[in-house]
Amino acid sequence: MNKKQRLVMRSVILVVMLAAIGYTMYINFFQSKEIVDVGDKAPNFVLTDLEGNEVMLSDYEGKGVFLNFWGTWCKPCEREMPYMENQYQVYKDQGVEILAVNIQETNLAVERFRDRHGLTFPIPMDRSDQVRQAYGIMPLPTTILLDENGTVVKKSSGELSEENVREFMEMIKPKQ
């Protein structure tokens, strides 16, 4: 190969690589990652909680479910946890359940966090990150509200105030 052919070959390879990088960036930053949306039936999952019990979403049919995705390292997650605990104490006997799905952390880190904040609601552990990916969750915290039939009624990304948590619990409280 002469110099001109090598230059053409390198240029073609460079253009192909730039196109691949551009496409990847477009998909990652500009395409919607929302897999589960309002009106959809929430995908079932089975995770293990801190006590080693299986937590299956379908077991909560008939209850409103406040499905929260979080991490111990996430400061907004930490700030909203006391609000979730307060409202859980009010609504747990009214047919509303919190499932606070922890993303890819150790039991020890989550147990320390739970104990420090006095959390009593179930904390399923998504160690493999499969549930977060199945739901298309990007920022933490993200909360998905499910009605008593397991249908998504609202999605909220970002930190919640206590008033938000209370409103959300009211929204998913089963109609008696």
Side-chain angles (χ1 to χ4, degrees):
M1 252 198 236
N2 64 31
K3 270 186 165 178
K4 189 172 185 170
Q5 288 174 322
R6 282 196 305 265
L7 179 61
V8 168
M9 186 63 78
R10 288 179 183 157
S11 297
V12 167
I13 290 171
L14 182 61
V15 167
V16 169
M17 286 176 49
L18 287 174
I21 290 169
Y23 176 76
T24 301
M25 290 179 69
Y26 172 76
I27 292 298
N28 283 326
F29 295 110
F30 300 108
Q31 294 286 73
S32 174
K33 301 239 184 334
E34 293 186 4
I35 296 171
V36 176
D37 209 354
V38 173
D40 293 346
K41 177 85 169 158
N44 194 26
F45 60 79
V46 179
L47 294 173
T48 303
D49 69 12
L50 292 172
E51 284 71 42
N53 303 312
E54 275 194 351
V55 176
M56 187 178 320
L57 182 60
S58 60
D59 288 345
Y60 293 89
E61 288 244 349
K63 290 185 172 195
V65 177
F66 185 101
L67 184 60
N68 181 265
F69 292 85
W70 69 285
T72 61
W73 48 267
C74 164
K75 289 303 177 191
C77 301
E78 184 170 8
R79 288 190 294 266
E80 71 183 10
M81 285 292 168
Y83 307 144
M84 290 167 50
E85 179 62 32
N86 291 344
Q87 296 306 312
Y88 180 63
Q89 294 306 319
V90 173
Y91 285 93
K92 67 180 180 180
D93 295 329
Q94 298 180 46
V96 176
E97 189 64 63
I98 290 179
L99 295 179
V101 178
N102 178 269
I103 307 299
Q104 294 184 301
E105 293 189 83
T106 66
N107 274 24
L108 182 59
V110 176
E111 286 168 357
R112 286 181 176 166
F113 184 94
R114 176 199 63 196
D115 295 347
R116 187 170 66 246
H117 293 284
L119 305 177
T120 60
F121 44 76
I123 302 177
M125 304 294 288
D126 187 14
R127 280 200 191 76
S128 64
D129 201 34
Q130 287 182 324
V131 175
R132 184 195 64 78
Q133 289 180 26
Y135 276 75
I137 304 298
M138 283 305 289
L140 295 182
T142 291
T143 299
I144 297 179
L145 303 179
L146 309 175
D147 68 12
E148 62 267 25
N149 301 311
T151 301
V152 177
V153 296
K154 185 170 182 68
K155 289 176 70 173
S156 177
S157 294
E159 183 177 347
L160 301 175
S161 68
E162 187 148 12
E163 182 60 24
N164 295 141
V165 175
R166 189 194 63 71
E167 288 172 6
F168 289 178
M169 297 283 192
E170 264 313 308
M171 193 181 294
I172 60 174
K173 184 170 74 171
K175 320 294 184 265
Q176 306 305 13

